[in-house]
Amino acid sequence: MKQPPSFGASTFYLFYLFPTGICNFIITIVGLVLSIGFMPLFIGFPMLLVWLHGVKLLNSIDARLARRLLALDTSTNSPTSSITAYPSSGLWRKLSELLSDPGTYTAIIWQIARLPVGILAFTVAVTVISVEIALVSTPIVYWVLLQTIHINIFEDHPLHSLLPQSPLLISFIFMGIGLLLLPVAVKFIRSVAYLFGQFAVELDSTGSN
């Protein structure tokens, strides 16, 4: 029976998608622009060949990391990556084979899309984890602020009118809500990481066919 990805691995993967999404997006766009820009000097064609292989390599790295971190089922995927071996010799033949490979365009689109995907993944991870920490640590925050700078964080809260003499009880209510939502938050983080990871693996598998 396949084990679900751990919370730590899922969280790391969501955070990983953000910086690498920025880097991969820059590499993809800059490589494309430079390759096209230098084509009149002929050097653009070898640059294009290197760039296309590089994009497919990035695609393969994404998929391999997703498989390892998220314990994705690889039984339906071949061990080969989206990097296809082209035995043909000659620059033009290799370029022709790469440009006629649908996996090349899949890899390019995915690396460009990695920027918004990375931003979304980072936002989800930070938001869910921050809300959970804020809820669970409410009693500590309430006590520290009250003892140090004499601020009652529940003074204007609607619950304060119902429990005016028990602000500490209100803080424990928030902590209880956080503890009740903790399994939901963990499941949500795992599901989002699994969704993005499975998508990367599927794209790599498509590119290798």
Side-chain angles (χ1 to χ4, degrees), residues 27-196:
I27 291 172
T28 303
I29 297 299
V30 172
L32 177 61
V33 171
L34 289 179
S35 298
I36 296 176
F38 281 105
M39 279 182 182
L41 302 178
F42 184 77
I43 193 176
F45 294 100
M47 289 178 63
L48 179 63
L49 180 63
V50 173
W51 173 73
L52 291 174
H53 278 296
V55 170
K56 300 191 79 174
L57 175 62
L58 293 175
N59 218 45
S60 177
I61 292 173
D62 287 342
R64 289 179 182 180
L65 184 65
R67 287 189 180 102
R68 294 200 177 196
L69 280 179
L70 306 178
L72 297 177
D73 185 11
T74 59
S75 59
T76 58
N77 297 316
S78 62
T80 59
S81 67
S82 59
I83 305 175
T84 307
Y86 296 101
S88 307
S89 59
L91 172 65
W92 304 114
R93 182 66 63 85
K94 291 179 180 178
L95 266 179
S96 176
E97 291 174 341
L98 272 171
L99 293 174
S100 62
D101 181 6
T104 300
Y105 302 99
T106 301
I108 294 173
I109 293 172
W110 171 241
Q111 294 309 316
I112 293 175
R114 286 273 275 102
L115 177 60
V117 167
I119 294 174
L120 177 60
F122 182 81
T123 303
V124 168
V126 169
T127 302
V128 172
I129 294 174
S130 299
V131 169
E132 269 301 314
I133 292 176
L135 288 173
V136 173
S137 63
T138 302
I140 298 176
V141 174
Y142 163 76
W143 185 84
V144 169
L145 291 179
L146 189 63
Q147 297 298 320
T148 55
I149 55 179
H150 308 291
I151 291 180
N152 182 1
I153 58 176
F154 299 110
E155 185 174 359
D156 298 323
H157 196 276
L159 285 178
H160 188 263
S161 60
L162 299 176
L163 301 168
Q165 305 301 324
S166 305
L168 184 60
L169 177 60
I170 298 175
S171 68
F172 278 103
I173 291 175
F174 278 94
M175 185 182 73
I177 294 174
L179 292 175
L180 288 175
L181 292 178
L182 185 58
V184 179
V186 171
K187 178 66 175 178
F188 183 71
I189 290 288
R190 286 176 171 176
S191 299
V192 173
Y194 180 86
L195 175 65
F196 289 145

